Amino acid sequence: MVAVAVLAAGRGTRMKSSLPKVLHPLGGKSMLERVLDSCALIEPSRYLVIVGYAAEEVKTSLKHWDHVEFVLQEQQLGTGHAVQQLLPALKGSDEDVLILNGDVPLLRQETLQQLLDTHQTNQNAATLLTAQLENPQGYGRVFCDDKNQVQEIIEDRDCTPEQKRNQRINAGVYCLNWQKLAEILPHLSAENDQKEYYLTDVFTSLSPVMAMDVADVKEISGINHRKHLADAYTTLQQRIKDKWLMAGVTLIDPDSITIDETVELSPDVTIEPQTHLRGNTVIASGCRIGPGSMIENSQLGEQVTVFYSVLTDSTVEAGTRIGPYAHLRGQARVGSGCRVGNFVEMKNTQLGEGCNVAHLSYLGDATLGTKVNVGAGTITANYDGVHKHQTHIGNYSKTGSNTVLVAPVRLGDEVTVAAGSVVTEDVPTDALVIARSRQVVKPGWRLNSDE
Ligand code: UD1
Ligand code: MG
């Protein structure tokens, strides 16, 4: 068994942000959550997160992780000092401990499993993840003997020019025998350029310590500033898009598309350029999304098309066509075989099957039955300045162009509303409603005439 400890107490000064570094989002999740996620396969006995800078904010961000234990590092005196704070929590433990930096968010679960297996098979005192980087600048350099035993780790800023040439870097991911580590931890010193207690100093006093090179060096990218974060996002996107391409999704111009890891797609979905899929979005087979669309936390049935539109927190059933320039939000629910067209906004509104809202409408807090035809420019006036009110339109009803439905108002089935009407009162089933002043034509009338 292994306990996991994540170092998440630092501020991350180089991010130049008031948000703690480990809470910076990366593709829909915080970096810290990604680090915790990467441990799933090894099934840790405990998750310990070391918090310090903005500790409450970090704790709150993990409130849905009920099995995480927090350890406070009041002052942030370095990574070694952070791990010293584990001494009371892990007192007497005979487990191994996997220590991860909270700013290394791209690790694969399989890599951590491999690290743990290597550690346990070889009965090492410590095993650490390393990589050979073309540009190792900023990382601690790992010095090994010819048997791949780690002798020393020296931080970039403490390296001589000669030592800086070593391209083998410390990823900040370590498996350690806790009992052996616990003996050394109290004796760390802060004699280095930063005057910090470095975790990396423990390895000179442990033996055997083995280094394991990671095959894909992008996995171990440590995020210290925003450029790193942007590069990590690109890597993550590449992984996500490769996965969907192999699963039968067509991406047209993949570089212009972004997809959160939490999104679920089906085979034969086509995503067109400049389209962004976020949050808990689920898109069924045969849908064609984009170009130029944004879909967030929304569910789309089969064969839906979305063209230059924005959908948030909404549901669209099979065969419906959305756009161009439609905006669905706030639990909009569109039935199957509908058309929601140009410049239509829908908020907290339900459409039954086969409805048409083709042009220039706002439908807010409304419920429409089946096969309702909403004329161009129909507006539900749902807000009286204080409260929002409901509009109901029954099956097979039609509103003429430029209808205003002043809520609360209820139209029965098979109602026809004359164009330009302002409907303020309920209309029974099977009726025509005309709610506008009658046209007056005055023959021969001119400005300044004697009339
Ligand atoms: C660290 C390693 C370096 C390695 C690199 C990999 C040390 C001394 N150096 O450097 O060898 O190549 O990671 O990315 O460990 N933290 C705390 N408390 C503290 C200080 C830091 O919890 O007092 C946390 C930070 O929140 C962060 C992690 O530890 O999540 C690493 O800290 P950071 O300052 O980024 O270390 P690096 O300089 O990147
Ligand atoms: Mg770092």
Side-chain angles (χ1 to χ4, degrees):
M1 287 295 271
V2 62
V4 158
V6 183
L7 310 192
R11 173 175 186 169
T13 325
R14 290 167 280 181
M15 294 296 278
K16 299 194 165 68
S17 174
S18 57
L19 189 67
K21 173 162 76 173
V22 294
L23 294 194
H24 274 259
L26 178 59
K29 286 181 190 171
S30 72
M31 287 203 258
L32 178 56
E33 271 190 275
R34 287 194 175 277
V35 173
L36 292 169
D37 279 347
S38 64
C39 301
L41 193 60
I42 60 170
E43 296 183 343
S45 57
R46 296 170 77 177
Y47 284 97
L48 299 144
V49 176
I50 301 165
V51 293
Y53 175 77
E56 287 312 311
E57 211 177 325
V58 177
K59 284 186 190 175
T60 309
S61 78
L62 293 181
K63 61 179 184 303
H64 51 292
W65 282 75
D66 46 11
H67 46 288
V68 165
E69 302 165 57
F70 295 98
V71 173
L72 185 64
Q73 183 194 18
E74 262 177 60
Q75 274 185 296
Q76 290 80 57
L77 304 179
T79 51
H81 180 254
V83 175
Q84 284 173 344
Q85 313 310 308
L86 294 172
L87 283 163
L90 288 175
K91 193 163 194 280
S93 167
D94 57 1
E95 288 188 328
D96 286 317
V97 57
L98 174 69
I99 299 178
L100 299 140
N101 283 357
D103 65 348
V104 183
L106 295 178
L107 287 167
R108 287 198 170 87
Q109 298 188 14
E110 296 74 18
T111 305
L112 293 182
Q113 181 73 65
Q114 209 187 336
L115 181 75
L116 185 63
D117 290 347
T118 307
H119 178 75
Q120 293 182 337
T121 315
N122 293 286
Q123 298 191 323
N124 292 333
T127 313
L128 48 107
L129 208 57
T130 52
Q132 308 277 353
L133 294 192
E134 255 174 57
N135 176 12
Q137 200 206 343
Y139 288 97
R141 304 299 203 281
V142 180
F143 295 86
C144 295
D145 65 12
D146 50 9
K147 294 199 181 74
N148 197 31
Q149 295 294 312
V150 175
Q151 304 296 298
E152 198 178 5
I153 300 178
I154 307 179
E155 288 308 291
D156 186 67
R157 58 204 302 159
D158 299 312
C159 280
T160 63
E162 173 62 28
Q163 288 169 329
K164 279 194 180 183
R165 262 181 245 136
N166 178 359
Q167 292 179 318
R168 193 169 203 182
I169 64 97
N170 168 28
V173 179
Y174 325 87
C175 262
L176 291 130
N177 175 305
W178 171 253
Q179 283 179 350
K180 291 187 180 166
L181 176 64
E183 280 169 32
I184 304 161
L185 272 178
H187 309 296
L188 290 176
S189 90
E191 279 166 38
N192 50 55
D193 187 54
Q194 292 199 96
K195 303 282 173 261
E196 284 188 357
Y197 296 91
Y198 287 167
L199 176 61
T200 43
D201 286 347
V202 301
F203 300 104
T204 40
S205 316
L206 288 170
S207 164
V209 180
M210 202 181 263
M212 188 187 109
D213 271 336
V214 68
D216 174 6
V217 296
K218 288 190 170 155
E219 268 189 64
I220 52 84
S221 309
I223 311 302
N224 292 326
H225 50 64
R226 310 259 185 163
K227 169 82 172 94
H228 287 151
L229 191 62
D231 291 345
Y233 186 70
T234 307
T235 304
L236 192 66
Q237 283 299 311
Q238 190 75 52
R239 276 190 201 171
I240 296 169
K241 288 182 227 170
D242 286 353
K243 174 181 120 182
W244 290 121
L245 288 166
M246 297 320 285
V249 171
T250 297
L251 302 178
I252 301 174
D253 186 16
D255 285 351
S256 75
I257 295 169
T258 64
I259 308 174
D260 280 359
E261 210 172 23
T262 41
V263 168
E264 283 176 40
L265 304 174
S266 294
D268 287 327
V269 164
T270 300
I271 312 292
E272 299 231 32
Q274 303 290 350
T275 294
H276 308 284
L277 307 177
R278 301 199 179 144
N280 297 319
T281 289
V282 182
I283 300 182
S285 184
C287 287
R288 190 167 194 100
I289 316 296
S293 297
M294 212 281 282
I295 304 191
E296 186 168 25
N297 298 328
S298 295
Q299 287 72 48
L300 274 55
E302 290 185 2
Q303 310 282 343
V304 167
T305 63
V306 178
F307 185 51
Y308 284 109
S309 293
V310 176
L311 278 65
T312 311
D313 302 324
S314 295
T315 306
V316 180
E317 287 176 23
T320 283
R321 290 179 293 149
I322 309 277
Y325 311 114
H327 184 193
L328 272 55
R329 63 188 178 91
Q331 310 301 326
R333 307 180 79 81
V334 180
S336 58
C338 291
R339 176 150 180 249
V340 178
N342 315 257
F343 304 102
V344 171
E345 179 180 354
M346 284 179 44
K347 189 267 302 184
N348 187 29
T349 284
Q350 281 90 53
L351 299 192
E353 258 173 55
C355 289
N356 256 311
V357 193
H359 335 264
L360 301 162
S361 281
Y362 171 63
L363 299 178
D365 305 303
T367 308
L368 280 67
T370 50
K371 298 208 171 167
V372 173
N373 192 75
V374 177
T378 295
I379 304 290
T380 55
N382 59 332
Y383 187 48
D384 61 12
V386 184
H387 300 293
K388 300 279 171 72
H389 300 282
Q390 296 285 326
T391 299
H392 294 269
I393 306 180
N395 304 326
Y396 309 105
S397 291
K398 299 181 183 63
T399 66
S401 297
N402 222 24
T403 294
V404 180
L405 301 164
V406 183
V409 70
R410 182 177 282 273
L411 276 57
D413 296 345
E414 313 239 21
V415 165
T416 302
V417 181
S421 291
V422 178
V423 181
T424 55
E425 285 165 30
D426 292 355
V427 182
T429 288
D430 205 3
L432 167 69
V433 56
I434 309 170
R436 57 168 144 85
S437 54
R438 186 174 285 279
Q439 178 171 316
V440 177
V441 179
K442 300 192 174 182
W445 185 94
R446 295 226 176 116
L447 195 64
N448 301 326
S449 74
D450 293 331
E451 200 258 352

